[in-house]
Amino acid sequence: MKQVVQNYKSGELALLDVPVPGCKPGGVLVRSAYSLISTGTELMKVSEAGMSMLGKARSRPDQVAKVVQSVATNGVPATYRKVMGKLDSYTPLGYSLCGVVEEVGAGIDDVKVGDLVACAGNEHALHAELNWVPKNLYVPVPDGLAPRHAAFGTVGSIALQGVRRGEPQLGEVALVIGLGLIGQLVVQLLAASGVRVVGADPDPARCELAGRLGAAACGDPGSAAVESAVAELTGGLGVDQVYLAAGGGSNQPVELAARLSRDRGRVVDIGKCRLDLPWNAYYEKELDVRFSRSYGPGRYDPEYELEGRDYPIGYVRWTERRNLACFLDLVARGRVDVEPLVSRVADFDDAVETYRSLEDGGLKAVAVLFRYAARTGETKAPAVTVPAVKPRGGGASAPARGAGKPVRLAFVGAGNYATSMLLPHLAQRDGVELSTVVTTTALSAANAQHKFGFARATTDLDAVLGDESVDAVFVVTRHSSHAELTRRALLAGKTVFVEKPLALTEDELAGVLAAVEESGNDRIQVGFNRRFAPLLREAKERFGARTGPASVRYLVNAGRLDHGSWYLRQGTEGSRFTGEGGHFIDTVSWLLEADPVSVYALATPGDEDLQVVLRYPDGSTATISYVTTGAAGFPKETLDLVADGKVLRLDDFVRASVHSRKRWVSSRLPRARDKGQSAELAAFVKAVRTGGPMPVPLRSLVATTAATLAVRTGLAGGAPVTLAGAR
């Protein structure tokens, strides 16, 4: 197997072939999926290795003291041979990774082969294809948490232990000095704890990032901005805690900490900066200086780390293993977001070049991940199954409403999208009665009832599902609840309109289809409205039938989300593309009149910009560029379809054109962008009223959902994903 190593004497970095470690009792053998470069600790070690012998001695006076003691005990020749032998040997790098359990050692019963685990330790979670990890240095990864995010576990635990040492309380103000990887995580953990945070770092980009992740203010530690922010937030009293997450030889951090702390404030050292404490400043305020030792109690204790002897929770609440599990849980629940910290994902084969680029400044990064190739010999391409649609009762149609009887609709959820894009089109529509609105809070239900004229407002979902007079249920809640609410409504015999996405996982999609099969009720519409947009429909008609394969380019200039948006809670609500990407896949599939058969996805660092390539049965291809880094003033959606010597172009639902022998351009600019919601709702209400087929076949809705989910699979595996069962 391959492992990243360094010769501390020469500074040489290498990707070395080494034997596979054995799986000893008390631990597991883990095949790495992603490992994280600590751009602070590891680069400091790499930099030290490149120094002269005198430089090494100056940087590690603790080791020099050991050498002096050895000389006194063993003499100069023996000490020289010992030191040179240790220096002139390979040492490992890395201590934070996520991987798959390959083999389970004796005495291990909490994980099994194939489980995903996050691992810690500078002797056990190395940049290597395989690692043996003892029990107290790994934890299972929560369901739904991406492996690349779980690879942050150890570094996150270091930040978490530092925050615990500061004992933050609700309403306090903290100063974080140094906004590198650890500092950025400390900012988020403090913000999640109800603490207002001021950040200090000379790098404007890191200050901007910390601001997006929850800091109330940030600035250069040498500027007046930081002091002004502290004075404003504390009324001039000073911060309650200071977290030293900086490195280097400057004494500025500890001096700034003393100046901006309140009387009897707490100063926590997490990084490795110079600590020449100015005695008068620290004495006069009686500052409490604390050190945070790595990722929690148990660190450096061989009985805990190697022998697996846990500390009783009643005596030690947060051990390093419990810290590791806690941090992963915070990420999975969306309380901490590590994705914006990822500056680059590099292939493990490029490890040496990546370290060199970091060291010489060519790559400026907060966090860098190594991505490991799939196991040698595995040739099977990843696949996502498109479930077959098997309604037991053949529910292509339903009984028509009686003449003159209104279609009675219930809404589950009344958030921004429901109240701005759906209900205004339904409230005044003839033949429609808004029966009941269901929300989790009484006031939001009352507001929707007052504004749109619902007959009833309630927080009781069961009352709506059991109401035989309700013809259709609109599910317009957060993404994580769509599949379950749809399943329950189908089993209750209701026609369902569910906003995208239909499901966040393959299991959720299978659950919806199981309800279809059990009930015989396949009357579902997912809110893919763009295929109903009048301008796009006219352009498709003008383009005419195709005879050959098409090429489609769809640019979605999505823009950045505000900090705190629930869309960012990937652990519970899915990725942003999982939530929104179905719109664009459905639009392309409708234009091409087919469902995709494979998906290939690539992303820039941090998954900020996605390229999703779809392949269709007739050889047509479509590239959806879903980007968040574009200019806010540029149109959100532009689409080009090229085939048979013709080009269809859509400019953000404002103008469309078709270029062929004769050129057609839409005649005038509309007063507003019509993305099809009104026409979609009209088609849905008609299907409910007449009992006719749903506006979009369920088979197409399922295929689009499966293709959207395949994007996540493709990003994780780095290979095209076959949509098994697609037609």
Side-chain angles (χ1 to χ4, degrees):
M1 71 166 192
K2 293 180 180 178
Q3 178 176 347
V4 177
V5 296
Q6 182 176 38
N7 184 295
Y8 197 70
K9 178 181 178 182
S10 66
E12 173 200 3
L13 280 162
L15 194 60
L16 201 65
D17 281 316
V18 298
V20 173
C23 187
K24 298 179 287 187
V28 294
L29 191 64
V30 176
R31 181 172 293 276
S32 302
Y34 289 91
S35 61
L36 177 70
I37 297 179
S38 171
T39 50
T41 303
E42 288 188 61
L43 285 189
M44 180 178 64
K45 185 175 180 180
V46 170
S47 178
E48 285 179 358
M51 295 177 179
S52 65
M53 294 299 292
L54 181 59
K56 290 183 175 71
R58 287 174 173 170
S59 68
R60 295 297 304 273
D62 56 325
Q63 296 300 319
V64 172
K66 291 181 180 179
V67 170
V68 171
Q69 179 61 44
S70 180
V71 168
T73 304
N74 303 309
V76 172
T79 300
Y80 178 81
R81 289 192 298 270
K82 179 181 178 181
V83 170
M84 288 300 105
K86 189 170 184 179
L87 286 175
D88 194 14
S89 59
Y90 288 119
T91 59
L93 293 171
Y95 61 86
S96 188
L97 67 81
C98 175
V100 177
V101 175
E102 183 103 339
E103 188 177 343
V104 176
I108 298 297
D109 56 10
D110 59 341
V111 294
K112 62 184 182 301
V113 172
D115 284 354
L116 194 65
V117 292
C119 308
N122 61 356
E123 295 179 353
H124 305 288
L126 309 172
H127 297 309
E129 292 177 312
L130 287 158
N131 286 279
W132 178 80
V133 188
K135 181 174 183 176
N136 281 339
L137 293 179
Y138 70 79
V139 296
V141 173
D143 291 341
L145 182 59
R148 59 190 280 158
H149 296 160
F152 280 78
T154 309
V155 176
S157 299
I158 293 172
L160 182 58
Q161 176 64 14
V163 170
R164 294 196 194 285
R165 293 288 293 141
E167 300 181 33
Q169 299 184 41
L170 284 168
E172 289 189 329
V173 179
L175 172 65
V176 179
I177 303 177
L179 297 174
L181 177 54
I182 295 292
Q184 298 286 350
L185 292 170
V186 170
V187 166
Q188 292 195 64
L189 290 166
L190 289 169
S193 303
V195 175
R196 291 174 294 172
V197 184
V198 177
D201 195 287
D203 187 338
R206 292 185 173 185
C207 288
E208 188 273 334
L209 177 59
R212 286 197 283 123
L213 295 176
C218 292
D220 190 305
S223 71
V226 172
E227 295 194 29
S228 297
V230 169
E232 181 179 350
L233 290 172
T234 67
L237 297 176
V239 298
D240 300 283
Q241 309 132 47
V242 179
Y243 295 88
L244 302 176
S250 171
N251 207 47
Q252 183 189 40
V254 296
E255 294 170 6
L256 182 65
R259 190 162 66 252
L260 298 185
S261 287
R262 67 165 168 81
D263 186 60
R264 292 176 175 79
R266 301 180 291 281
V267 179
V268 181
D269 179 45
I270 305 175
K272 188 179 181 181
C273 64
R274 186 175 173 184
L275 288 175
D276 290 342
L277 303 182
W279 188 87
N280 284 338
Y282 276 73
Y283 172 80
E284 288 169 3
K285 289 187 176 180
E286 198 174 334
L287 296 179
D288 184 356
V289 180
R290 303 178 179 184
F291 289 85
S292 177
R293 188 172 64 183
S294 198
Y295 26 100
R299 188 71 181 108
Y300 309 114
D301 178 355
E303 290 190 0
Y304 177 89
E305 293 191 331
L306 299 180
E307 298 177 22
R309 297 183 183 177
D310 197 7
Y311 301 151
I313 195 169
Y315 292 89
V316 184
R317 176 63 182 91
W318 294 109
T319 60
E320 58 181 322
R321 192 182 200 218
R322 291 194 271 267
N323 272 339
L324 184 58
C326 177
F327 180 78
L328 294 182
D329 176 68
L330 289 169
V331 178
R333 291 190 290 114
R335 303 301 301 274
V336 173
D337 187 5
V338 299
E339 190 60 44
L341 307 180
V342 180
S343 304
R344 175 174 294 183
V345 180
D347 289 333
F348 185 55
D349 289 342
D350 299 328
V352 173
E353 292 78 5
T354 302
Y355 272 110
R356 290 303 182 204
S357 184
L358 285 167
E359 188 180 14
D360 63 24
L363 172 58
K364 297 185 181 299
V366 176
V368 175
L369 290 165
F370 286 139
R371 176 177 51 214
Y372 293 75
R375 183 185 311 185
T376 303
E378 289 185 353
T379 58
K380 185 178 179 182
V384 167
T385 300
V386 182
V389 178
K390 302 175 182 177
R392 188 170 66 183
S397 62
R401 303 292 299 152
K405 293 185 66 176
V407 173
R408 304 189 77 235
L409 306 178
F411 263 67
V412 182
N416 288 336
Y417 189 82
T419 56
S420 63
M421 304 306 296
L422 299 180
L423 284 168
H425 295 295
L426 293 168
Q428 305 302 323
R429 188 177 294 276
D430 291 338
V432 169
E433 180 182 324
L434 296 179
S435 170
T436 310
V437 58
V438 184
T439 62
T440 55
T441 60
L443 186 57
S444 59
N447 283 334
Q449 181 184 29
H450 172 75
K451 186 173 182 179
F452 296 104
F454 281 95
R456 295 176 55 224
T458 182
T459 58
D460 185 0
L461 175 63
D462 291 333
V464 171
L465 297 182
D467 186 347
E468 294 184 0
S469 69
V470 170
D471 300 305
V473 173
F474 279 70
V475 175
V476 202
T477 52
R478 290 191 177 180
H479 298 165
S480 57
S481 62
H482 284 189
E484 175 60 17
L485 291 174
T486 299
R487 189 188 68 80
R488 291 179 62 185
L490 289 170
L491 291 174
K494 307 300 183 186
T495 301
V496 180
F497 183 108
V498 56
E499 253 312 314
K500 45 75 192 163
L502 174 59
L504 293 178
T505 67
E506 293 177 68
D507 287 343
E508 286 186 354
L509 180 57
V512 170
L513 293 181
V516 169
E517 185 172 4
E518 178 182 344
S519 65
N521 177 13
D522 66 353
R523 299 186 63 73
I524 308 174
Q525 172 65 23
V526 180
F528 298 144
N529 50 274
R530 282 155 175 79
R531 64 162 66 202
F532 296 92
L535 193 59
L536 185 56
R537 294 180 76 87
E538 183 178 2
K540 181 183 179 184
E541 183 179 348
R542 297 275 185 174
F543 188 91
R546 283 189 300 114
T547 59
S551 296
V552 180
R553 180 202 65 85
Y554 201 152
L555 173 62
V556 183
N557 182 35
R560 295 191 183 279
L561 294 171
D562 294 333
H563 177 71
S565 170
W566 64 266
Y567 260 88
L568 295 171
R569 301 176 185 174
Q570 295 191 26
T572 55
E573 302 300 335
S575 72
R576 192 175 175 188
F577 188 85
T578 301
E580 191 177 23
H583 269 320
F584 317 116
I585 295 175
D586 175 76
T587 302
V588 172
S589 297
W590 170 74
L591 283 169
L592 299 180
E593 299 179 349
D595 297 321
V597 294
S598 73
V599 176
Y600 182 47
L602 294 169
T604 58
D607 282 358
E608 287 194 299
D609 295 345
L610 298 181
Q611 305 295 324
V612 178
V613 181
L614 306 169
R615 185 170 59 85
Y616 286 81
D618 67 348
S620 295
T621 60
T623 300
I624 299 172
S625 300
Y626 187 85
V627 301
T628 65
T629 57
F634 190 80
K636 181 180 178 182
E637 297 179 42
T638 54
L639 180 150
D640 299 304
L641 185 153
V642 182
D644 303 338
K646 298 180 288 185
V647 177
L648 179 156
R649 181 171 180 81
L650 175 73
D651 290 306
D652 208 25
F653 300 90
V654 171
R655 186 181 293 276
S657 59
V658 174
H659 298 256
S660 59
R661 294 177 184 176
K662 294 182 180 181
R663 184 185 178 200
W664 169 80
V665 179
S666 54
S667 58
R668 65 181 185 275
L669 295 177
R671 284 179 295 179
R673 291 175 178 83
D674 185 345
K675 295 186 179 181
Q677 284 93 348
S678 180
E680 176 189 31
L681 292 170
F684 177 76
V685 170
K686 180 181 177 180
V688 177
R689 177 182 292 114
T690 65
M694 298 302 292
V696 182
L698 179 57
R699 173 190 55 77
S700 176
L701 300 176
V702 170
T704 294
T705 303
T708 307
L709 298 177
V711 170
R712 179 181 58 192
T713 303
L715 289 173
V721 179
T722 299
L723 295 172
R727 293 182 292 173

